[in-house]
């Protein structure tokens, strides 16, 4: 799960998807394309909205997306079009590029809808972002569980 700062959207996406899958079978992590918040905990507003849904993301630590992540992960979900461009720029080949998709394309196929960056807004932004990510993660979890069961 990748966003810009790895303190608002992608930590939520990591926590939400982990809550929907068996983490002994799926390795789920998040990162930011930017370096500013490496080592930092998630934004308190993300921690709070996750806690409202009984998800604890307070122990996550910010890290920057690395080109090695293309080897480590089968799927890379980005929150917005700018993250998409930034991550694609780091890919070495078409196979790595094919791992990258916009998170909300799971809900709105091929529409390339952004998860809006809530950093400069109010609490409402975080609620909206939570709901969007939650719906997208429902769809991803269903897809992955179907694959493992078949
Ligand atoms: P995020 O939000 O990408 O959802 O973690 C942001 C957090 C911090 C900054 C930008 C976006 N920043 O510029 O510090």
């Amino acid at each position: 799960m990748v966003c810009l700062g790895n303190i608002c959207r992608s930590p939520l996406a990591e926590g939400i998807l982990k809550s929907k899958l068996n983490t002994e079978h799926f390795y789920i992590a998040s990162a930011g394309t930017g370096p500013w918040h490496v080592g930092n905990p998630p934004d308190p507003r993300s921690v709070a909205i996750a806690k409202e849904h009984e998800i604890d993301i307070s122990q996550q630590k910010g890290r920057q997306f690395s080109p090695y992540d293309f080897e480590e992960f089968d799927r890379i979900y980005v929150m917005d079009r700018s993250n998409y461009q930034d991550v694609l720029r780091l890919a070495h080949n078409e196979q790595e590029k094919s791992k990258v998709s916009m998170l909300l394309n799971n809900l709105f196929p091929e529409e390339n809808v952004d998860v809006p960056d809530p950093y400069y807004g109010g609490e409402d932004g975080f609620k909206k972002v939570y709901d969007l990510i939650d719906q997208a993660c429902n769809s991803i979890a269903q897809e992955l569980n179907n694959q493992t069961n078949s």
Side-chain angles (χ1 to χ4, degrees), residues 8-9 12-13 16 43-53 55 57 103-104 107 114-136:
C8 297
R9 292 166 293 177
L12 272 178
I16 291 171
D43 187 288
R45 295 165 295 178
S46 283
V47 174
I49 190 80
K51 195 170 172 202
E52 275 181 36
H53 295 85
I55 294 174
I57 63 166
L103 180 72
L104 295 187
L107 290 181
D114 292 339
V115 177
D117 187 345
Y119 187 59
Y120 294 105
E123 304 282 335
D124 261 17
F126 282 77
K127 189 172 162 15
K128 182 177 171 202
V129 159
Y130 186 96
D131 291 342
L132 282 170
I133 294 175
D134 188 51
Q135 287 176 55

Side-chain angles (χ1 to χ4, degrees), residues 3-11 36-37 117-120:
C3 64
L4 176 60
N6 193 212
I7 54 168
C8 297
R9 292 166 293 177
S10 60
W36 316 285
H37 300 285
D117 187 345
Y119 187 59
Y120 294 105

Side-chain angles (χ1 to χ4, degrees), residues 57-94:
I57 63 166
S58 64
Q59 301 307 307
Q60 290 184 30
K61 292 240 176 322
R63 75 179 186 95
Q64 188 170 16
F65 182 83
S66 146
Y68 294 110
D69 288 330
F70 286 111
E71 293 166 32
E72 195 81 6
F73 296 92
D74 299 317
R75 294 175 173 210
I76 296 165
Y77 292 103
V78 297
M79 300 298 134
D80 65 30
R81 280 164 291 184
S82 137
N83 310 147
Y84 188 75
Q85 295 305 330
D86 290 341
V87 169
L88 276 200
R89 217 174 289 130
L90 298 173
H92 303 98
N93 52 47
E94 290 305 313

